[in-house]
Amino acid sequence: MKIGICTSDPKQILLAYELGYDFVEVNNKGDVMNDEKYPELLALSKKLPEGFFYSCNCLLAPSPRITGPDADPDGLREYCEKSFARLAELGVRMIVFGSSDAKRIPEGFSREVATEQIINAVRMFSDIAEKYGQRVCIEPLREAECNCVNTVDEAVEIAALADRANVGAHADYYHMMQNGEKLSKLTTLAKHIMHTHIASPCKRNAPSDDDGADYKYFFDALRRGGYDATVSFEGSFNPTREDMREMHDYLASL
């Protein structure tokens, strides 16, 4: 598997490259779509190997919305046309769709209608991403953050309903542990998973071999299902050379 880290900080990106990380995952709504920050990221991407800017997280802002009576598919398309084009310029090939604020179902709104709205949004993402050779993975989030698409099974189901070749599911160790999901299911679902995240299950910080979590089982369950793609750390971390190297080496050992 290839090991990455979620960061848009230019100094941290360079350090990640120097320390042997295979890729970085940049923040879309906060940095790529920031007109002041984007030029520096673009210039940096040209100095690093192709594919090092592999993925993005934090895809959407709270608006334009996906679900509910205030859903704005036209605004969403306009946002994504600009966003995916910028991501393509950076070399990003994997679009991670979590975006709790944009897809959270409003209280009292039909869950069935909201699900259709989410599927239609995913198909829109797929159409735009296809132009740039990008893929879209649907990230299930913990129930404390969002009231829909909370499990890997649900992400797989939404991907199947969207029925697009460049759309698949995502698995995040932190969210799975927060929701009480069984890691064993990953062996069966691995063939539908395109990308993964990892962080400690309680504090969402850097994994370590002495924090009591069974990260090895996460990797082993995926591997048994044939998964051999990418895993990126998403959480808070100490951006020193020593700590970033320690995290990389620990994940590599797994």
Side-chain angles (χ1 to χ4, degrees):
M1 297 184 197
K2 294 184 177 181
I3 298 168
I5 186 169
C6 295
T7 179
S8 297
D9 183 285
K11 292 181 180 179
Q12 293 173 14
I13 291 172
L14 283 172
L15 185 55
Y17 174 68
E18 292 172 9
L19 294 174
Y21 284 84
D22 297 299
F23 66 94
V24 291
E25 183 167 321
V26 292
N27 181 302
N28 184 61
K29 69 179 182 182
D31 296 284
V32 176
M33 291 296 281
N34 183 308
D35 291 341
E36 294 182 1
K37 295 181 180 180
Y38 175 67
E40 184 176 7
L41 286 174
L42 181 60
L44 180 57
S45 72
K46 305 305 181 186
K47 298 177 182 179
L48 295 172
E50 182 179 356
F52 192 71
F53 281 65
Y54 171 72
S55 52
C56 79
N57 63 359
C58 301
L59 178 62
L60 304 175
S63 64
R65 286 198 51 76
I66 292 175
T67 62
D70 297 325
D72 182 9
D74 292 336
L76 186 64
R77 177 176 291 278
E78 181 179 354
Y79 175 96
C80 289
E81 289 282 5
K82 179 178 179 179
S83 170
F84 286 32
R86 284 190 174 188
L87 291 167
E89 286 185 309
L90 293 173
V92 169
R93 291 293 176 263
M94 182 62 68
I95 310 292
V96 180
F97 169 45
S99 304
S100 60
D101 290 334
K103 76 182 181 193
R104 183 181 294 111
I105 303 173
E107 186 176 352
F109 190 77
S110 166
R111 181 165 291 269
E112 182 178 355
V113 172
T115 299
E116 284 300 316
Q117 290 175 320
I118 292 170
I119 293 168
N120 288 336
V122 170
R123 287 173 178 157
M124 178 199 300
F125 300 156
S126 170
D127 291 341
I128 300 171
E130 188 176 22
K131 296 190 297 185
Y132 303 109
Q134 297 164 329
R135 296 189 293 168
V136 179
C137 63
I138 300 164
E139 180 182 25
L141 304 174
R142 63 182 182 140
E143 294 171 358
E145 291 183 28
C146 195
N147 62 0
C148 60
V149 195
N150 302 118
T151 68
V152 180
D153 308 74
E154 290 175 294
V156 169
E157 182 180 5
I158 294 293
L161 291 169
D163 193 24
R164 299 295 176 87
N166 66 339
V167 173
H170 178 284
D172 184 307
Y173 180 87
Y174 169 77
H175 288 296
M176 291 186 73
M177 294 297 94
Q178 286 281 309
N179 284 338
E181 286 189 81
K182 293 183 178 180
L183 294 175
S184 57
K185 70 169 64 176
L186 295 175
T187 298
T188 302
L189 299 177
K191 59 181 176 290
H192 304 290
I193 296 171
M194 289 183 169
H195 181 51
T196 63
H197 285 161
I198 196 167
S200 67
C202 296
K203 297 183 179 181
R204 207 174 189 176
N205 54 10
S208 66
D209 60 1
D210 60 357
D211 64 10
D214 193 357
Y215 305 110
K216 185 177 186 300
Y217 192 80
F218 177 71
F219 283 96
D220 288 347
L222 287 165
R223 190 177 295 111
R224 285 195 299 271
Y227 183 85
D228 188 27
T230 46
V231 57
S232 55
F233 166 73
E234 183 186 40
S236 60
F237 65 99
N238 187 359
T240 65
R241 176 178 291 271
E242 180 179 352
D243 286 356
M244 286 180 65
R245 183 193 299 278
E246 183 177 335
M247 178 167 58
H248 171 274
D249 292 350
Y250 176 59
L251 293 176
S253 74
L254 297 172

